[in-house]
Amino acid sequence: MSELDPLVDRFGRVHTYLRVSITDRCNFRCQYCMPETKIVWRPRAELLTLEEILRLVELFARLGTNKLRITGGEPTVRKGWQHLLREAAAVPGIADRLMTTNGTGLHEHAAELRAAGLTGINISLDSLQRDRFTEITRQDRLDEVLRGIDAALEASIPRVKLNVVVMAGVNEDEVLDFVAYAFDRPLQVRFIEFMPFLGNGWKVDRVIGYQEMLSQIEPRYELSPRGGHPSDVAKDFDLVGGAGSIGFITSMTDSFCGGCNRMRITADGLLKTCLFLPGQLSLRDLMRSGADDAELEQAIRATLLTKWEGHPPMDQWRQLDNLTMMEIGG
Ligand code: SAM
Ligand code: SF4
């Protein structure tokens, strides 16, 4: 195993950030994430076991991965997720241990998450209005999610971020309400441009670009831009005089592919080199056919070499023949 040889694609981008979906299941059915048609869950046997996930995390850590995000589906519906998080947190080299969740149950788990060594948490929240929240997620659980956010702050989980997908005709009128929410609390609200995935009703005219959001915010709030790293996906701003900050994930109107350092593993073990490309390599099948770590490493490196330079601009998008977002993990 070449321990000091980082994972590099053919454009010279060094890959150090691994996002692992630990389940394709979810207790929500967000309209922008799940297709309307009935979901058929994969049989459990097709998903990576927790042991297989940990083996991969350890392998990627030896290949230079220093940032790990556990996501889903909803990661907290996977039995044993707390154990996985604790074990992953103990893997040498993984300095940044993150999780993305819809916030259900968080009021009960926040302290435990802090103790497990989480270095940041992203909580999805697309509306502060109960009826609208229920319509978007198809679950009447806004109060529970808000309690979870408070609990995460009380438990002092570092870097609490709220993921807000902004969609025309759905919630673009709440941008200022979310900025006010961040102004009052030590967290970051991240406005995410609506992205196209299989069966999620995406159309170019449903995308609210970050410039449009900024034009709503700037007359009301003084923003101070934060200098970012080239691999940062967000454009971040402090709210001058406020407790929190805001950021924009501009995948649609100003993509950040040039600095991409991300790799994704789906719940059934496919390695994806880009959110918008189908899974390219079944790590699960390789592991189950007895591949050793050197063989896995070779296959991972070869797959990374097939990564494209970047996704096409928004006006050339069509609904990609891709997985649903829920299967990919955000
Ligand atoms: N269930 C967890 C949650 O909701 O945070 C983790 C998985 S979810 C797929 C990860 C993130 O992807 C969420 O923040 C969600 O808002 C975001 N997401 C899902 N569909 C999206 C879409 N079509 N465009 C932009 N972001 C999307
Ligand atoms: Fe579930 Fe998260 Fe998708 Fe909502 S965004 S349906 S909570 S996976």
Side-chain angles (χ1 to χ4, degrees), residues 120-154:
I121 190 165
N122 288 44
I123 304 157
S124 299
L125 177 65
D126 307 303
S127 178
L128 294 164
Q129 300 173 16
R130 182 173 168 192
D131 289 352
R132 190 178 279 176
F133 178 95
T134 306
E135 197 180 326
I136 294 172
T137 64
R138 300 171 177 126
Q139 291 282 327
D140 184 7
R141 292 172 81 167
L142 174 62
D143 282 352
E144 180 183 340
V145 175
L146 293 177
R147 268 194 292 148
I149 295 167
D150 289 341
L153 293 174
E154 271 160 35

Side-chain angles (χ1 to χ4, degrees), residues 39-56:
I39 303 265
V40 181
W41 305 115
R42 282 199 175 78
R44 184 59 45 92
E46 288 185 15
L47 303 187
L48 291 179
T49 64
L50 297 184
E51 291 70 28
E52 286 169 336
I53 294 172
L54 273 172
R55 177 178 173 195
L56 290 174

Side-chain angles (χ1 to χ4, degrees), residues 22 78 142 152 173 274 295:
I22 65 169
R78 174 86 192 243
L142 174 62
D173 58 343
C274 175
E295 287 164 316

Side-chain angles (χ1 to χ4, degrees), residues 32 71 73-74 100-102 124 163 165 192 195 197 200 325 330:
Y32 55 79
T71 179
E74 172 50 35
T100 306
T101 172
N102 62 22
S124 299
N163 286 359
V165 179
I192 304 177
M195 295 187 261
F197 297 104
N200 76 347
M325 181 64 163

Side-chain angles (χ1 to χ4, degrees), residues 19 21 23 25-28 30-34 70-76 99-103 122-126 162-167 192-197 200 202 251-252 275 324-330:
R19 302 167 69 106
S21 170
T23 179
R25 294 170 194 226
C26 189
N27 51 357
F28 279 11
C30 302
Q31 39 172 269
Y32 55 79
C33 176
M34 287 224 203
I70 301 293
T71 179
E74 172 50 35
T76 60
M99 178 170 168
T100 306
T101 172
N102 62 22
N122 288 44
I123 304 157
S124 299
L125 177 65
D126 307 303
L162 303 191
N163 286 359
V164 183
V165 179
V166 182
M167 294 159 284
I192 304 177
E193 293 176 350
F194 181 30
M195 295 187 261
F197 297 104
N200 76 347
W202 184 89
S251 335
M252 292 293 98
L275 184 59
T324 60
M325 181 64 163
M326 204 194 49
E327 294 168 297
I328 298 161

